[in-house]
Amino acid sequence: MADPSPALLETFENPYPNRSYTIDTVCPEFTSMCPKTGQPDFGTLTISYIPNQKCFELKSLKLYLQQYRNYGAFYERVTNQILDDLVSVTEPKWMKLEAAFTPRGGIRTTVIVEHPETHS
């Protein structure tokens, strides 16, 4: 299957561009696919950001994330790709994506990425 496309992501003008405030969006039903087993991976995505001029629209985010249901990629790739796509369309002052995947084989994985990077 083709890579998920950020073209589905829509934005709207930030109603308060002169104020720094944080938007938290939680997506508790995220699904992607393990590239080794073909089995579904389930997780909760928490997107936190300080908008600049644009905010992402929620319905378009839902449609964008649904592309991952049949997309085979490891947690690390999926998380970084989603952050890169969201940053490219919104150009935020700051954004953090936490992807907390449900346990598989007794192991739980959470991947956390930020823009701009705060760790070296």
Side-chain angles (χ1 to χ4, degrees):
M1 179 173 201
D3 286 357
S5 172
L8 291 177
L9 291 167
E10 297 177 16
T11 62
F12 60 92
E13 292 298 315
N14 177 1
Y16 291 94
N18 296 322
R19 177 180 293 155
S20 287
Y21 62 98
T22 304
I23 300 170
D24 291 326
T25 303
V26 179
C27 309
E29 298 176 348
F30 179 74
T31 307
S32 59
M33 186 174 58
C34 176
K36 286 193 74 91
T37 66
Q39 295 296 309
D41 289 322
F42 302 101
T44 297
L45 303 183
T46 302
I47 305 160
S48 300
Y49 70 110
I50 299 173
N52 195 0
Q53 299 299 312
K54 297 181 269 185
C55 302
F56 57 76
E57 192 277 325
L58 296 178
K59 181 179 179 186
S60 74
L61 175 66
K62 177 183 80 169
L63 296 173
Y64 165 77
L65 293 177
Q66 285 176 348
Q67 297 177 98
Y68 285 89
R69 286 184 177 170
N70 297 314
Y71 178 64
F74 292 109
Y75 302 147
E76 297 80 3
R77 178 176 175 82
V78 167
T79 307
N80 279 280
Q81 184 172 343
I82 293 169
L83 180 77
D84 287 347
D85 289 348
L86 289 172
V87 165
S88 101
V89 299
T90 62
E91 300 174 341
K93 294 177 183 175
W94 170 83
M95 184 176 281
K96 175 181 170 184
L97 173 57
E98 181 174 323
F101 291 91
T102 58
R104 175 175 286 190
I107 299 173
R108 175 189 301 264
T109 299
T110 299
V111 179
I112 301 169
V113 292
E114 287 188 48
H115 166 83
E117 287 188 51
T118 57
H119 303 285
S120 53

